[in-house]
């Protein structure tokens, strides 16, 4: 029977899953190398397995492939599915990764420097390790490709839009998964106006109408919108002009500043990790949380306005699924939108936490499952 492997390289983690082909893919083992850097750890099936010491994406992938080999005991992997951050304007759905496709995807790497190069490293390594398997790409941008033009463009001269300077939106695999769960468990909501907040190390909010993305807080790059672990979120472009003109900062220095040194790490001066921030007594930690919450409220409001109202608000991603503090604080000023939450339900991370007219849900995301489903639907990957 065919076994399928999924690989999801984020900025600070590398997640994997092994599935057996079925109508709904059957998970056999899942895990991740988390906290890439000096304190990386291997986590398997949710249990902390072992410390790895200094680990980058390449070593993490080696560790994962060894773990997978040990586990599958001689069974063949016939398909490998990769989360790919950027699919540009060409890739509207899961695509078999031929060399011609990979050439196009490498050209998109500068648009997602924290993710795309790692995604493509995983593809190269998977081709070397499983040369007979079908390699499939699933793109974070595909879910957003039907945006109306006003949510797709910037007010720049039109030639830039034609050149590809437009709002792509990301976290599409997560939004795809969440809309699938809603269709199954809350069918009344799927026809409605939804605001889904994916709050992980990266974070974005998506406005979804009748199951389709209408707007996203992330735009041309994965920097826009909400503040994140180490990324700035929305920034007045005048700040960049100032930093270049007056401080002589280069594009490379700005990339490091905006992708790796900003967000809640920059504001707190302490950590990019929300759990650590919540546990800190430092006034800077409290201020970083204040800013995070303020921007979250603002963007939830903006997404609801772009939908002409809101029927449901969904929290997902590591922070959205687990931080009762952020959910409570983000919703406390949103009573005017029919949003109110039940304290006990919120404390217990229950699925349904709203008490007002607008439903408020907490739904754990599963990007790997979306990839595994795409593999199952590809005959070459499962034969
Ligand atoms: P990634 O985007 O790398 O997949 P995750 O979705 O796993 O990241 O989210 C990681 C974030 O979730 C971190 O900031 C982490 O501190 C936060 N988080 C996880 N559990 C909790 C918790 N119980 N309380 C607050 N934040 C949490």
């Amino acid at each position: 029977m065919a076994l399928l492997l999924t690989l999801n390289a984020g900025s600070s983690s590398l997640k994997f899953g092994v599935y057996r082909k079925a109508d709904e893919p059957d998970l056999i083992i899942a895990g991740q190398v988390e906290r890439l850097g000096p304190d990386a750890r291997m986590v398997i099936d949710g249990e902390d397995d072992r410390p790895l010491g200094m680990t980058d994406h390449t070593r993490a992938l080696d560790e994962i492939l060894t773990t997978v080999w040990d586990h599958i005991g001689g069974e063949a992997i016939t398909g490998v599915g990769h989360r790919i951050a950027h699919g540009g304007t060409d890739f509207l759905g899961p695509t078999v990764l031929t060399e011609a496709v990979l050439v196009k995807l490498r050209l998109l790497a500068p648009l997602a420097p924290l993710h795309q190069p790692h995604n493509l490293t995983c593809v190269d390594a998977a081709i070397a390790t499983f040369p007979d398997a079908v390699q499939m790409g699933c793109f974070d941008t595909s879910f957003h490709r039907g945006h109306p033009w006003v949510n797709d463009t910037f007010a720049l001269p039109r030639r830039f839009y034609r050149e590809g300077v437009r709002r792509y939106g990301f976290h599409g695999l997560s939004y795809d998964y969440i809309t699938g769960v809603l269709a199954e468990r809350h069918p009344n909501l799927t026809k409605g106006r939804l605001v889904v907040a994916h709050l992980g190390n990266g974070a974005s909010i998506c406005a979804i109408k009748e199951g389709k993305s209408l707007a996203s807080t992330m735009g041309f790059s994965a920097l826009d919108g909400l503040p994140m672990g180490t990324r700035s979120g929305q920034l007045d472009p005048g700040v960049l002009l100032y930093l270049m003109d007056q401080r002589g900062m280069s594009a490379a220095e700005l990339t490091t500043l905006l992708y790796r040194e900003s967000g809640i790490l920059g504001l707190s001066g302490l950590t990019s990790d929300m759990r650590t921030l919540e546990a800190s007594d430092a006034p800077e930690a409290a201020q970083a949380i204040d800013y995070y919450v303020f921007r979250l409220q603002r963007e939830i409001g903006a997404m609801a306005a772009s939908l002409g109202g809101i029927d449901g608000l969904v929290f997902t991603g590591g922070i959205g699924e687990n931080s009762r503090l952020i959910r409570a604080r983000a919703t406390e000023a949103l009573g005017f939108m029919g949003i109110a939450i039940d304290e006990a339900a919120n404390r217990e991370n229950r699925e349904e936490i709203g008490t007002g007219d607008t439903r408020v849900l907490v739904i754990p995301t599963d990007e790997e499952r979306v990839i595994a489903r795409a593999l199952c639907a590809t005959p070459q990957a499962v034969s």
Side-chain angles (χ1 to χ4, degrees), residues 81-131:
H82 302 266
R83 174 191 178 194
I84 309 270
H86 216 303
T89 51
D90 285 347
F91 299 105
L92 309 181
T95 304
V96 173
L97 298 171
T98 60
E99 187 47 38
V101 168
L102 288 170
V103 166
K104 286 189 179 175
L105 295 179
R106 283 186 200 111
L107 292 175
L108 295 169
L111 302 186
L114 230 55
H115 295 89
Q116 195 89 338
H118 301 310
N119 301 154
L120 297 176
T121 302
C122 282
V123 177
D124 291 339
I127 291 172
T129 312
F130 306 105

Side-chain angles (χ1 to χ4, degrees), residues 12-13 15 199-202 272-275 278 317-319 322-323:
S12 61
S13 66
K15 298 179 181 152
L199 310 176
N201 281 310
S272 63
D273 189 88
M274 185 58 82
R275 220 174 337 185
E278 288 183 12
I319 297 170
N322 298 298
S323 174

Side-chain angles (χ1 to χ4, degrees), residues 5-9 13-18 29-34 36 41-44 50 52 55-72 122 129-130:
L5 170 68
T6 61
L7 292 170
N8 175 354
S13 66
L14 179 49
K15 298 179 181 152
F16 73 96
V18 178
I29 177 175
Q32 64 173 310
V33 177
E34 61 174 35
L36 287 171
R41 305 191 74 82
M42 173 71 90
V43 175
I44 300 208
R50 68 202 138 100
L52 296 176
T55 303
D56 60 8
H57 281 83
T58 312
R59 161 131 196 257
L61 188 59
D62 274 353
E63 292 286 342
I64 287 173
L65 293 177
T66 308
T67 303
V68 169
W69 270 127
D70 288 349
H71 206 82
I72 61 178
C122 282
T129 312
F130 306 105

